[in-house]
């Protein structure tokens, strides 16, 4: 049996990725070890997944993990602004930097040959007002002010630790730079903006569309974003994890296409609004524009074989299916309501 250890499996990305791997890998050959700080029984429904309670801040808790036959590490764990109640910058350094160091030491001692790490698009904040197409390997420009500043700095530091372990110990480090990843989440989970509870903008618009209420398009309607769906993210993370390349690298996660906010709002209405009473679109050019960018994914296509499968309309259609099925409702209830 070969082991894949997923740190941060109780986060949304980790939850979807563990589910993705569990449904693809041969249980006679692979074991997935999901880890997180919460005490959960939910993962027991998968025959090839075991759950281990691990706090990446506490190196001693790694003793409960396999100490050999570890094929690879998936590192989605960390502290990020969207889940932070208030503002506690020390947590970014203690968890995102020292926690990553603990994970890398575990990777080294357990014989793992590769690690997949998630970087934040905040490391490119300085390009947002001057570039639309974001490439993989540009100079980092994290924000120097605001609640994302220390967060972005800590993520860059953690990525460079991964690169150090590749150069020194041969553990191939595949970094995935993430914009917002769109996915359905059960209502039990609370998100935060500037340390205060908030609802994601796309979930807010979907809720309005379901009720047939008007949707507003702010700023320039032709500006837009790269709308990357969770299932394309899982595809790319899997490709990185099983890559036969002899070295890692940093790869943008995206579709390679910018969807205008105007098209996006009309797609939301098409998928979610009542057919007999569709939502009205109200244009508000006096409001601020959205962040205008898309992710160049040529490197991921060429080196990892990545091909995005979900455009904006396809992602919304699948999102609606996930919302109706609510496959992970028991997970979110156990984690956030128990």
């Amino acid at each position: 049996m070969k082991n894949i250890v997923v740190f941060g499996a109780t986060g949304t990305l980790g939850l979807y990725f563990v589910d993705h791997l569990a449904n693809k890998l041969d249980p006679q050959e692979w074991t997935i070890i999901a880890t997180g700080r919460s005490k959960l029984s939910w993962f027991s429904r998968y025959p090839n997944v075991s759950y281990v309670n691990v706090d990446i801040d506490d190196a001693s808790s790694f003793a409960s993990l396999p100490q050999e036959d570890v094929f690879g590490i998936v590192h989605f764990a960390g502290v990020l602004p969207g889940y932070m109640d208030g503002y506690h910058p020390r947590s970014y350094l203690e968890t995102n930097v020292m926690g990553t160091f603990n994970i890398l030491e575990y990777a080294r001692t357990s014989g793992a040959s590769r690690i997949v790490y998630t970087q934040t698009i905040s490391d490119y904040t300085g390009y947002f007002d001057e570039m639309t197409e974001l490439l993989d390997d540009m100079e980092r420009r994290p924000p120097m002010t605001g609640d994302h500043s220390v967060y972005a700095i800590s993520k860059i530091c953690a990525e460079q630790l991964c690169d150090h372990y590749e150069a020194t110990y041969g553990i191939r480090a595949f970094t995935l730079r993430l914009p917002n990843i769109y996915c359905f989440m059960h209502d039990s989970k609370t998100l935060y903006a500037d340390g205060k509870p908030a609802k994601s903008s796309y979930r807010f618009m979907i809720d309005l569309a379901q009720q047939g209420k008007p949707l507003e398009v702010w700023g320039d309607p032709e500006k837009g974003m790269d709308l990357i769906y969770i299932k394309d993210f899982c595809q790319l993370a899997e490709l990185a994890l099983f890559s036969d390349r002899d070295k890692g690298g940093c790869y943008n996660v995206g579709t390679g296409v910018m969807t205008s906010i105007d098209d996006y709002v009309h797609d939301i209405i098409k998928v979610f609004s009542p057919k007999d009473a569709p939502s009205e679109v109200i244009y508000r050019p006096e409001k601020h524009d959205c962040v205008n960018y898309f992710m160049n994914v040529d490197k991921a296509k060429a080196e990892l074989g990545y091909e995005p499968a979900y455009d904006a309309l396809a992602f919304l259609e699948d999102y609606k299916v996930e919302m109706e099925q609510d496959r992970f409702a028991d997970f979110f209830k156990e984690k956030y309501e128990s």
Side-chain angles (χ1 to χ4, degrees):
M1 297 292 287
K2 289 176 283 190
N3 297 303
I4 296 169
V5 181
V6 181
F7 291 95
T10 62
T12 309
L13 298 185
L15 172 64
Y16 272 90
F17 189 61
V18 168
D19 176 75
H20 175 84
L21 286 183
N23 287 305
K24 290 200 70 173
L25 298 183
D26 183 352
Q28 302 302 315
E29 184 179 1
W30 297 93
T31 298
I32 303 159
I33 295 91
T35 82
R37 291 177 174 173
S38 304
K39 296 185 182 299
L40 297 171
S41 62
W42 189 86
F43 289 99
S44 63
R45 67 193 60 211
Y46 298 103
N48 54 345
V49 177
S50 62
Y51 181 75
V52 179
N53 195 212
V54 173
D55 180 352
I56 67 169
D57 293 355
D58 179 7
S60 67
S61 68
F62 287 62
S64 56
L65 293 171
Q67 301 301 310
E68 58 185 7
D69 297 324
V70 175
F71 170 80
I73 304 291
V74 178
H75 177 13
F76 296 163
V79 176
L80 62 161
Y83 301 155
M84 182 177 283
D85 185 358
Y87 180 57
H88 311 285
R90 180 180 295 274
S91 297
Y92 294 130
L93 302 175
E94 292 174 342
T95 298
N96 295 352
V97 179
M98 289 306 301
T100 297
F101 176 76
N102 290 336
I103 289 172
L104 288 165
E105 275 294 283
Y106 169 70
R108 179 182 66 81
T109 58
S110 66
S113 64
R114 76 272 323 272
I115 182 170
V116 177
Y117 169 75
T118 49
Q119 179 56 280
T120 171
I121 195 176
S122 294
D123 71 339
Y124 275 4
T125 297
Y127 293 104
F128 286 158
D129 292 330
E130 60 184 63
M131 294 181 68
T132 301
E133 181 179 14
L134 302 179
L135 306 176
D136 297 273
D137 297 312
M138 301 187 298
E139 179 184 353
R140 306 308 169 92
R141 293 186 183 178
M144 289 294 109
T145 59
D147 71 322
H148 278 58
S149 180
V150 177
Y151 167 63
I153 292 167
S154 72
K155 294 290 286 182
I156 293 169
C157 180
E159 180 186 349
Q160 291 182 331
L161 279 173
C162 293
D163 293 341
H164 163 65
Y165 271 71
E166 174 168 323
T168 305
Y169 303 110
I171 303 170
R172 282 167 282 171
F174 295 89
T175 295
L176 305 180
R177 177 179 291 107
L178 308 187
N180 186 48
I181 304 296
Y182 293 80
C183 62
F184 172 71
M185 293 181 292
H186 189 80
D187 289 338
S188 300
K189 186 171 186 175
T190 301
L191 299 178
Y192 295 85
D194 296 320
K196 298 177 181 178
K199 180 175 285 190
S200 66
S201 59
Y202 66 93
R203 182 62 184 269
F204 177 70
M205 289 191 291
I206 287 170
D207 289 350
L208 291 177
Q210 288 180 313
Q211 300 170 60
K213 293 182 177 180
L215 271 67
E216 295 184 356
V217 174
W218 287 12
D220 183 347
E222 295 307 310
K223 290 188 175 181
M225 297 166 288
D226 197 334
L227 305 177
I228 176 70
Y229 189 46
I230 184 68
K231 294 182 181 179
D232 271 336
F233 165 77
C234 288
Q235 177 211 157
L236 183 48
E238 178 193 356
L239 288 167
L241 178 62
F242 292 102
S243 173
D244 59 3
R245 291 178 56 80
D246 59 6
K247 62 181 299 184
C250 183
Y251 300 89
N252 283 341
V253 178
T255 65
V257 175
M258 185 171 70
T259 300
S260 73
I261 190 66
D262 195 31
D263 286 344
Y264 182 35
V265 167
H266 280 89
D267 283 344
I268 290 175
I269 293 170
K270 184 183 300 182
V271 174
F272 291 98
S273 199
K275 304 306 178 188
D276 57 345
S279 297
E280 176 190 4
V281 178
I282 299 174
Y283 293 92
R284 301 291 303 274
E286 77 279 6
K287 295 285 189 177
H288 66 78
D289 296 321
C290 66
V291 178
N292 192 47
Y293 73 91
F294 71 96
M295 311 293 279
N296 181 299
V297 292
D298 290 348
K299 183 179 176 184
K301 289 181 176 182
E303 296 185 2
L304 300 178
Y306 172 61
E307 286 296 337
Y310 293 86
D311 61 14
L313 183 59
F315 119 58
L316 289 167
E317 289 172 339
D318 196 78
Y319 183 104
K320 185 177 182 181
V321 173
E322 290 285 349
M323 177 182 284
E324 291 169 348
Q325 294 178 345
D326 205 2
R327 295 185 297 131
F328 305 122
D330 290 344
F331 167 85
F332 284 103
K333 289 176 180 178
E334 183 181 7
K335 182 177 179 182
Y336 295 104
E337 296 180 13
S338 59

